[in-house]
Amino acid sequence: MDTSDLITALDRDGQLLAEAAARAGLDTPVPTCPEWRVRELVTHTGAVHRWAARIVGESLTEPIGLPAAPEGDGPELVEWFREGHRQLVKTLTTAEPDLRCWTFMPAPSPLSFWIRRQAHETAVHRVDAEAALDGGGASAAGSSSDSSAGFSPIDAEFAADGVEELLVKFHGGERSRVRTDTPRTLRVRATDSGAVWTVRLSDGPPRTERTAEGPADCELAGPVSDLYLALWNRLPLDALGSTGDASLARLWRERSVIG
């Protein structure tokens, strides 16, 4: 996906997150992150934005800690988030393409890594803010009738890019906990865009290919925006169509959470 389109998505989703958080109120529970209220959601995402902006803006080559949130509470916390989000968008937009800085996953370039990662970080947490605003209704982690229709629209190309990042980058690394003693194959199929991923599971890190070749033990299927939200644990897996061995879908659900 083009980096300019990812920055546009980052800009939009950050604004939507702030709007939803302000309307929901800082004390409102976040159904998609049961341990959080909106306050923690805003604080976390705002800190991540400032963290990424500093790494890119200062061309840091070593990791740093997340900055502290302001002591104030209420509207000023949402404004603190807005300021950090604007700074991140500006920093990523004006950074030199040949920037060299620290990253935590392989990518074509450090700048493309940070643009992509922050776009999807913000999109997923925007969904969290909208789930809080919705009050945990049809768009949150409830019944099998759930779908992404309750959230602001997610562009199909953007959603496919986020599925790709999750399956190939996050779960292609040694830290992935999605492992099986016996080799298994999970297929992920977008029923609207035609994108298909085949995830080969073993006692090592999963290996994902953009292919529909070969048999699969389990297949998860649905609109690509629903795949995006379900695989990022913002919709229940039973919001998707599933065929084959249901235990493999449960294994994914239980072990695929990204910390």
Side-chain angles (χ1 to χ4, degrees):
M1 189 173 182
D2 188 85
T3 54
S4 64
D5 292 332
L6 288 169
I7 289 178
T8 297
L10 166 62
D11 190 13
R12 168 183 175 270
D13 283 322
Q15 293 183 51
L16 288 172
L17 191 161
E19 292 168 7
R23 290 173 58 198
L26 296 177
D27 288 326
T28 302
V30 180
T32 47
C33 297
E35 71 278 14
W36 279 356
R37 294 183 181 270
V38 171
R39 179 181 294 101
E40 286 74 36
L41 173 64
V42 170
T43 298
H44 167 79
T45 314
V48 169
H49 284 174
R50 283 170 164 76
W51 173 73
R54 185 180 169 202
I55 291 170
V56 172
E58 298 180 22
S59 301
L60 301 181
T61 57
E62 298 292 336
I64 58 173
L66 292 176
E71 293 184 2
D73 203 0
E76 62 269 24
L77 185 61
V78 177
E79 183 54 35
W80 172 82
F81 169 85
R82 292 184 191 273
E83 291 172 0
H85 171 250
R86 287 193 293 265
Q87 183 59 46
L88 174 63
V89 171
K90 179 179 179 181
T91 298
L92 294 176
T93 301
T94 59
E96 294 295 332
D98 60 354
L99 165 78
R100 291 291 177 263
C101 68
W102 176 78
T103 67
F104 57 86
M105 288 191 299
S109 72
L111 182 57
S112 67
F113 165 81
W114 283 110
I115 291 172
R116 185 192 210 189
R117 179 78 293 276
Q118 290 307 299
H120 291 297
E121 174 85 10
T122 305
V124 169
H125 287 317
R126 180 266 292 174
V127 168
D128 293 331
E130 291 180 342
L133 180 61
D134 182 68
S139 61
S143 71
S144 61
S145 63
D146 292 344
S147 76
S148 59
F151 301 117
S152 297
I154 300 173
D155 175 77
E157 184 180 6
F158 181 83
D161 186 77
V163 171
E164 183 98 3
E165 185 199 37
L166 178 66
L167 296 180
V168 176
K169 298 297 185 180
F170 277 99
H171 286 295
E174 290 293 333
R175 294 182 64 184
S176 176
R177 297 172 52 247
V178 185
R179 311 212 177 186
T180 62
D181 293 332
T182 302
R184 313 290 297 284
T185 301
L186 174 68
R187 182 152 293 136
V188 177
R189 185 184 302 274
T191 55
D192 50 355
S193 70
V196 182
W197 296 265
T198 296
V199 187
R200 305 190 191 283
L201 304 175
S202 67
D203 58 0
R207 293 291 175 255
T208 299
E209 300 172 344
R210 195 76 173 264
T211 180
E213 295 180 1
D217 297 293
C218 177
E219 178 170 302
L220 300 175
V224 69
S225 59
D226 283 6
L227 291 176
Y228 179 75
L229 294 178
L231 293 175
W232 279 104
N233 296 314
R234 265 56 187 188
L235 284 180
L237 283 183
D238 61 8
L240 305 176
S242 177
T243 57
D245 186 351
S247 69
L248 192 53
R250 289 195 300 272
L251 174 77
W252 177 271
R253 189 61 166 179
E254 293 167 359
R255 300 188 184 180
S256 67
V257 176
I258 302 297

